[in-house]
Amino acid sequence: MTQAEYHFTNNQLADIFDNIGSLLEIKGEVIYKILAYRKAAESLRTFGREAQDVWREGKLMGIPGVGKAIAEKIDELFTTGKLEFYEKLVHEVPIGLLELLQVSDLGPKKAALFWNQLGITNLVELEQAANAKKLQSLPGMGEKSEAKIIAGIQAIHRRSGRIPLGKAWLFYNELAKILGNVPGVVRLEPAGSLRRMRSTVGDLDILAAVSDSEAIMEEFIHHPQVIRVIGQGQTKSSVEFDNGVRAQLWAHPPERFGTALQYATGSKDHNVRLRELALKHGLSLSEHALARTDGSEILCKTEEEVYTALGIPWIPPELREDRGEVQAALSSSLPTFVKLDDICMELHCHSTWSDGRLTIYEMAEAAIKRGLKILAITDHSGGLGVAGGLKIDDLQAQRTEIDNVQAQLGSRLKLLQGSEVEILADGSLDFPDEVLQKLDIVIASLHSSLRQPREKVTQRLVNAIQNPHVDIIGHPTGRILPDREGADLDMDAVFQAAANNSVSLEINANPARLDLDDVYARRAAEMQIPICINTDAHSESDLDLLHFGVSTARRGWLTPDMVMNAWAGERFSNWLNRKGIIE
Ligand code: DGT
Ligand code: CA
Ligand code: ZN
């Protein structure tokens, strides 16, 4: 028997149950019911398999935290794509109230209070009421708590300005599974800053090649997570989701998909350059069409055709920021940029010896699975009590384990023993030189006292770079996207020191970091500083974050020659031995 089946990931199911829990709590439902939804959500998020597969086996109730009531709801979602209970609930309790819960220290009780007493149903209304000083006279509230709410809303505005690339990417992929399957859709591609792989994304741009856009537009605006439809049309619709993400869907017929994709990918400044170029060729380039002066259109199915019509080779999306790429294309001097397949080493990862989840052997197998040839195990140093770090005495035992694993692996993968050694607040390193000297590779990183004054924090990094045993500076600025700025570093001084000592600077591929960023990476590479791209993996799936780092490198115009993880073994070992220190 075959029947229709709707797709939901575990995270999407969990979001629904979390929302139900919160809405019930605002409604004033008894606590055990609320907790049941929360528990199911939590369990789904950490469950190792897709709930949909378990459902097909008829074993939903085998998932921890999933009892009969929840299993029935999951079943309803998979078979109908909807959940009547949820729809009814949303009818009773406005879903916009969930936005209120994102304000720090604002729980369901207060959300219920604002809703019942003032009729507030979303964040915008809450902000208006707070600014009009209407909250302070409510029971349990006061001037202070009102001011706190205003500050909390402002923090959200700052935060929700841009979405970190990692989140945007994951969410796009979830949407794409649904939108790509709408009948009639020939192609679906990300566009905008997401396709250019900017470290943060303002809104998602999604482009569909489809002759009749009605079905896909309907699917888009009725997606279960949509909380607001901002605009709606045949070629473009725009919505906001309950996770704060805004997205635009552009639909164009396949015969002009290339023109549309080129336009929607941007950046705006790149497009302006192309338009100038088009004019020089007696053409006009717009959102909809590439046309000759007589008005006749040049249909471009692919982007390559657009660029060819303008007399230049296709330019990779990551480069389209008007940073000289059009000029380089015109003079045929665009180099071949590093790509995922070029990377054959991971030089920064953690095992169970510190805070990683996999043993050294498991990490090695995971690396082999991904085609890597060299893997450096770089657990945290724990000399001065960094949580979970290795003590000096542990290093010998770890070396023995690495040797044993190496013997098992044979020539499939070369393991290096390294350390991610902490740069302490006073600028010294967490391990003494005689310990560092025995390691195959040393990463020095800042994790604490990032807010020191510029001179002091810069000097810490420069000291580390000048240490004869340090090979790499991990995530150099220490930024965390989207909120935590990096240390106030004098990057020129850092780059100069790195260039003088041939110390590598890392592009940390974790999308919460992407540090160095594209602009710094480009400058560093121009100064002949070897760049490395590492995932800093703490688990197997972290290794799959590599592409974010590679895209950042491409945005920084890096060629394989500039990226150490793409070097041949001999060049790499020569560099490791650059100071003539034999390990
Ligand atoms: P974002 O969303 O702020 O991270 O940045 P983008 O680059 O995704 O920009 P967005 O979403 O405002 O627009 C998507 C694309 O549409 C953009 O990359 C290029 C194109 N576009 C938007 N506005 C204009 C415009 O005024 N002129 C031109 N030529 N292209 C535009
Ligand atoms: Ca965008
Ligand atoms: Zn690390």
Side-chain angles (χ1 to χ4, degrees), residues 207-339:
L207 211 70
V210 61
S211 301
D212 179 355
S213 66
E214 195 179 326
I216 191 167
M217 287 299 177
E218 282 295 299
E219 190 75 43
F220 183 60
I221 62 173
H222 292 118
H223 185 281
Q225 279 176 269
V226 166
I227 58 165
R228 217 189 325 268
V229 177
I230 300 162
Q232 193 178 343
Q234 271 189 351
T235 54
K236 211 189 301 184
S237 293
S238 172
V239 302
E240 184 173 338
F241 294 94
D242 60 1
N243 54 9
V245 173
R246 288 179 178 211
Q248 295 197 66
L249 175 67
W250 318 50
H252 287 276
E255 58 271 22
R256 10 180 114 81
F257 187 72
T259 323
L261 181 61
Q262 193 293 310
Y263 179 87
T265 299
S267 66
K268 215 184 272 182
D269 294 338
H270 175 85
N271 286 358
V272 169
R273 290 269 171 226
L274 288 198
R275 217 167 317 136
E276 289 167 5
L277 201 56
L279 287 177
K280 283 190 195 143
H281 284 76
L283 301 168
S284 77
L285 181 62
S286 74
E287 173 170 359
H288 302 287
L290 179 63
R292 302 182 187 88
T293 32
D294 64 7
S296 65
E297 188 179 346
I298 305 173
L299 289 174
C300 298
K301 242 180 138 122
T302 66
E303 272 192 333
E304 281 81 353
E305 294 166 63
V306 179
Y307 285 90
T308 304
L310 302 178
I312 52 175
W314 180 81
I315 298 177
E318 299 96 323
L319 262 79
R320 301 184 195 169
E321 298 291 352
D322 189 27
R323 294 178 184 161
E325 71 280 6
V326 176
Q327 294 87 330
L330 276 169
S331 61
S332 306
S333 59
L334 267 185
T336 302
F337 299 102
V338 64
K339 56 185 189 311

Side-chain angles (χ1 to χ4, degrees), residues 506-523:
E506 177 181 78
I507 295 176
N508 191 291
N510 191 306
R513 291 195 182 271
L514 300 178
D515 175 19
L516 295 177
D517 69 16
D518 48 358
V519 176
Y520 281 147
R522 185 168 176 180
R523 203 154 91 205

